[in-house]
Amino acid sequence: MEPLKYFRLFSRASLWFHRRCMTSSIPNTIEMMKRKGEFSTKIASGPQLKDFLNMSAPIEKLHPSVDEDPPPYIQNSASLVNNKVYMETYGCQMNVNDTEIAWSILQKSGYTRTNTVDEADVILLVTCSVREKAEQTIWNRLQQLTALKRKRRGSKGPLRIGILGCMAERLKEEILDKEKLVDILAGPDAYRDLPRLLAVAETGQQAANVLLSLDETYADVLPTQISTNNISAFVSIMRGCDNMCTYCIVPFTRGRERSRPAHSVLEEVRILSDQGVKEVTLLGQNVNSYLDTSSISFHGAVTPQLSRGFSTIYKPKKGGLRFVDLLDQVSRIDPEMRIRFTSPHPKDFPDEVIKLISERQNICKQIHIPAQSGSNRVLEAMRRGYTREAYLDLLENIRGHIPEVSLSSDFITGFCHEKEEDHQQTLSLLSQVSYNAAFLFAYSMRKKTKAYHRLQDDVPPDVKKRRLEELVSAFRREAERVNQRAVDSTQLVLVEGPSKRSPAELCGRNDGNIKVIFPDPQVSGAGSLGVVGRTQPGDYVLVKIISASSQSMRGILLDHTTLQKSAAYFECKKTQALS
């Protein structure tokens, strides 16, 4: 009986609650309807859509101009006093291009450039963070500049010091806090903000902007060349990297991949051609993964294909103007301008890229293909996306299309858990491929990378040093053997200027990017075969090679020529050799 009693009480309580809610909801419903009616009346009597679209009223009356004072830290460029900037560049070609971009932005804001530290009001260091040695060089330089800063106090006005680029992005807190060495900090995607940062620093405060961007390519900034060499130039076509190799800091200091619109690249190359530049190098952290999706006309294009046997951790991007398309268009701008590109990833060499390089006369037959290691075990730990066998198959394919190709590469020795057997496999790859040039480094662990979080840097420094020395010796031995093959051949050389070691000699680079030195007949009176006219920087010349080392070649000047004429010359020589 007890359960039945409780059930009856519960039923009565539920019925009472339901009646109470129904009764109280009637006034609420009436109130809501009343408010809805008032709201509808207000809307009906208010402005209509046509009132917002009425263009009869002058804009000046609708939006009267109001003169506002700019923020106190924004200065008129014409009023800048302490505006002399001195810049130092460390690291790769991308940093050279970054320096030119930063200087172009500062120049438009009223700053002037000086070539001496003593005259500078602002000293900017464009930095590299790929290896520890590069960062230590910057720390040492900062100590020197800080001493100069203290010495300058009270005499010539305050000296402002800035760190730009990858090191600013990676070590922002440490740089700002360490003995207050730096006044401004600007990451690779913050160069547009430099005038504001310098204005803030002028007030005595530290200023920083190290935000990474998903779309910044500086496409509308025409870099101002700072090199005295007006013969060659770098043109950035993309920034950042998505590959996420376990050892690499680049995705964390330069951000995700984004490509510069093709029309912007082509316009810059045309300007350089009009200025007389004879060689352009297309730049990017992963240059051959270029993909311009900025124009709707490219959205339906074919998805880029990877090299056979290669893989990647990210999903392929659909549509867009590919690297092969851009390379084709760039090479058509000026038949007398050499085209190079760096630094590519081996996975992004489909057959159409290789065939274009083979067929187009002014695209240099020199390809940089970073291997990093000759061991499959180490390549997997590095997350490179290929095996030794796939890499060698790619090189075989390239040499099948371009028999005269010059190859260069990057190698890291002493990576996490690298054994002696792995090292020997890298040595054997160096000997098997026979590179013309190579960049060899001992592994330096970087914070933020996957290797830092997941792997152990367990190869002792003395072992890294010994293995690096063995790599260098193996490379030099093979490079000298490869370059010796060019002795008695004729090479097309783009003259860069006088040799650093002797004013009586000229220096330039051949199609394979190897330095070629030869006597200047106008100075030495010898070493040429009746060449008429003075040889100037920017000239194409034919040089007969008489000796070669692992680093350079020496020869005798035969004649002046052009890029197009030299093609006919070499074709004729090839026909004669076959007959």
Side-chain angles (χ1 to χ4, degrees):
M1 293 298 295
E2 200 68 26
L4 182 61
K5 179 180 178 182
Y6 284 123
F7 175 76
R8 288 172 178 170
L9 289 172
F10 178 75
S11 299
R12 290 173 183 174
S14 299
L15 182 60
W16 175 84
F17 181 77
H18 179 68
R19 288 174 178 173
R20 177 74 179 265
C21 289
M22 288 291 291
T23 304
S24 62
S25 65
I26 292 173
N28 290 341
T29 304
I30 295 173
E31 182 66 23
M32 287 177 61
M33 292 179 66
K34 182 180 179 182
R35 290 180 181 177
K36 185 176 180 181
E38 292 176 352
F39 183 69
S40 300
T41 303
K42 289 180 180 179
I43 291 178
S45 60
Q48 303 297 311
L49 179 62
K50 62 179 183 176
D51 297 315
F52 293 98
L53 300 179
N54 186 3
M55 302 302 293
S56 60
I59 294 177
E60 290 77 14
K61 291 184 180 180
L62 291 174
H63 303 286
S65 60
V66 178
D67 293 330
E68 296 182 359
D69 293 331
Y73 53 79
I74 301 297
Q75 304 179 40
N76 188 331
S77 61
S79 65
L80 288 174
V81 178
N82 302 322
N83 67 339
K84 291 184 179 179
V85 179
Y86 174 81
M87 303 184 78
E88 291 182 1
T89 307
Y90 299 82
C92 65
Q93 296 97 327
M94 282 296 294
N95 280 3
V96 175
N97 185 254
D98 277 8
T99 302
E100 295 175 345
I101 289 171
W103 173 234
S104 177
I105 291 168
L106 289 172
Q107 195 175 35
K108 289 181 179 179
S109 296
Y111 287 89
T112 60
R113 184 166 171 251
T114 178
N115 293 319
T116 61
V117 173
D118 292 335
E119 291 183 356
D121 302 302
V122 179
I123 297 177
L124 301 177
L125 308 183
V126 184
T127 62
C128 175
S129 198
V130 173
R131 280 169 287 277
E132 185 177 356
K133 184 178 179 181
E135 290 185 352
Q136 190 56 51
T137 301
I138 300 299
W139 286 121
N140 294 339
R141 183 60 173 146
L142 280 176
Q143 294 292 342
Q144 297 170 4
L145 295 176
T146 302
L148 177 64
K149 189 174 183 178
R150 294 193 188 101
K151 188 178 179 181
R152 280 271 298 270
R153 263 180 207 158
S155 58
K156 298 174 68 175
L159 175 63
R160 288 159 287 166
I161 299 173
I163 294 290
L164 278 55
C166 295
M167 192 170 168
E169 182 64 41
R170 194 181 91 82
L171 297 172
K172 40 191 172 288
E173 293 89 358
E174 187 175 350
I175 292 172
L176 290 174
D177 294 341
K178 194 171 183 178
E179 301 178 23
K180 305 298 180 183
L181 296 176
V182 173
D183 299 291
I184 74 163
L185 219 58
D189 293 342
Y191 299 143
R192 294 182 192 272
D193 202 26
L194 278 172
R196 184 190 68 84
L197 295 174
L198 286 169
V200 172
E202 187 76 20
T203 67
Q205 302 177 66
Q206 286 184 312
N209 184 348
V210 291
L211 295 176
L212 288 176
S213 170
L214 290 175
D215 53 14
E216 179 62 90
T217 62
Y218 300 105
D220 60 330
V221 178
L222 183 64
T224 302
Q225 279 195 279
I226 59 175
S227 172
T228 55
N229 173 17
N230 295 321
I231 306 307
S232 59
F234 296 117
V235 175
S236 174
I237 68 169
M238 59 87 67
R239 301 175 73 84
C241 183
D242 289 345
N243 289 317
M244 301 298 290
C245 300
T246 57
Y247 59 84
C248 188
I249 192 65
V250 168
F252 303 96
T253 58
R254 288 189 172 269
R256 302 293 300 273
E257 283 182 13
R258 61 269 190 203
S259 297
R260 183 177 169 187
H263 67 84
S264 170
V265 175
L266 298 174
E267 181 60 25
E268 183 175 345
V269 174
R270 289 189 190 98
I271 291 172
L272 291 171
S273 174
D274 293 340
Q275 293 173 351
V277 170
K278 291 296 184 68
E279 182 178 274
V280 159
T281 301
L282 305 180
L283 288 180
Q285 265 80 29
N286 193 21
V287 68
N288 55 340
S289 71
Y290 175 89
L291 193 67
D292 174 22
T293 57
S294 63
S295 173
I296 194 169
S297 61
F298 302 142
H299 288 177
V302 179
T303 300
Q305 299 297 312
L306 299 181
S307 307
R308 288 187 295 274
F310 288 71
S311 63
T312 179
I313 65 168
Y314 59 82
K315 294 181 180 179
K317 300 167 186 174
K318 297 181 179 180
L321 187 83
R322 303 167 299 159
F323 177 68
V324 66
D325 304 314
L326 180 70
L327 187 61
D328 176 38
Q329 294 186 39
V330 167
S331 65
R332 293 178 185 275
I333 290 174
D334 184 351
E336 290 297 316
M337 175 187 279
R338 274 180 172 173
I339 307 298
R340 302 185 188 273
F341 58 90
T342 197
S343 177
H345 191 286
K347 69 177 174 59
D348 294 309
F349 272 106
D351 287 348
E352 52 261 39
V353 172
I354 299 169
K355 289 177 182 177
L356 178 64
I357 296 171
S358 172
E359 296 167 359
R360 197 61 50 84
Q361 174 64 27
N362 63 333
I363 301 178
C364 291
K365 311 302 181 279
Q366 180 262 327
I367 302 178
H368 183 69
I369 308 186
Q372 306 302 356
S373 177
S375 162
N376 284 339
R377 197 179 70 84
V378 174
L379 288 172
E380 184 178 2
M382 290 179 167
R383 199 156 66 180
R384 290 291 290 171
Y386 55 85
T387 62
R388 175 192 178 108
E389 291 74 24
Y391 181 84
L392 289 172
D393 286 346
L394 172 62
L395 297 191
E396 183 179 354
N397 186 32
I398 290 173
R399 282 181 164 148
H401 286 88
I402 318 170
E404 71 277 22
V405 69
S406 295
L407 297 175
S408 59
S409 189
D410 297 337
F411 285 93
I412 297 173
T413 187
F415 186 64
C416 305
H417 314 309
E418 182 188 71
K419 301 182 183 300
E420 193 62 30
E421 179 185 353
D422 301 317
H423 172 60
Q424 292 300 322
Q425 289 174 6
T426 300
L427 287 172
S428 71
L429 184 65
L430 269 172
S431 301
Q432 184 175 350
V433 175
S434 298
Y435 298 98
N436 295 79
F439 302 91
L440 313 169
F441 305 99
Y443 174 64
S444 175
M445 182 170 272
R446 307 281 79 194
K447 290 181 180 179
K448 297 184 179 180
T449 62
K450 185 177 179 181
Y452 177 81
H453 292 289
R454 302 286 182 85
L455 303 177
Q456 185 178 354
D457 188 9
D458 56 354
V459 181
D462 59 326
V463 175
K464 289 182 182 179
K465 183 174 182 291
R466 189 257 303 168
R467 290 178 182 174
L468 179 60
E469 290 171 350
E470 291 178 2
L471 284 182
V472 170
S473 297
F475 159 69
R476 286 179 176 171
R477 183 170 57 251
E478 287 301 317
E480 182 171 3
R481 186 175 64 83
V482 172
N483 290 344
Q484 286 283 347
R485 297 175 190 164
V487 173
D488 291 332
S489 72
T490 300
Q491 299 283 318
L492 175 67
V493 177
L494 176 59
V495 180
E496 295 177 347
S499 169
K500 292 181 179 179
R501 295 190 176 183
S502 172
E505 293 179 321
L506 292 172
C507 177
R509 292 186 178 272
N510 67 1
D511 190 78
N513 209 27
I514 303 298
K515 184 184 294 184
V516 179
I517 303 166
F518 55 95
D520 182 353
Q522 299 295 326
V523 178
S524 64
S528 67
L529 301 179
V531 177
V532 178
R534 186 172 181 82
T535 306
Q536 304 282 354
D539 287 347
Y540 287 108
V541 295
L542 297 173
V543 177
K544 182 178 181 180
I545 304 301
I546 58 175
S547 66
S549 68
S550 63
Q551 304 294 318
S552 62
M553 301 177 183
R554 286 187 169 271
I556 299 173
L557 179 62
L558 296 180
D559 201 359
H560 291 94
T561 186
T562 66
L563 201 53
Q564 297 301 297
K565 287 181 181 178
S566 67
Y569 171 84
F570 288 116
E571 189 62 34
C572 180
K573 294 277 284 186
K574 187 185 294 185
T575 303
Q576 291 174 357
L578 291 174
S579 61

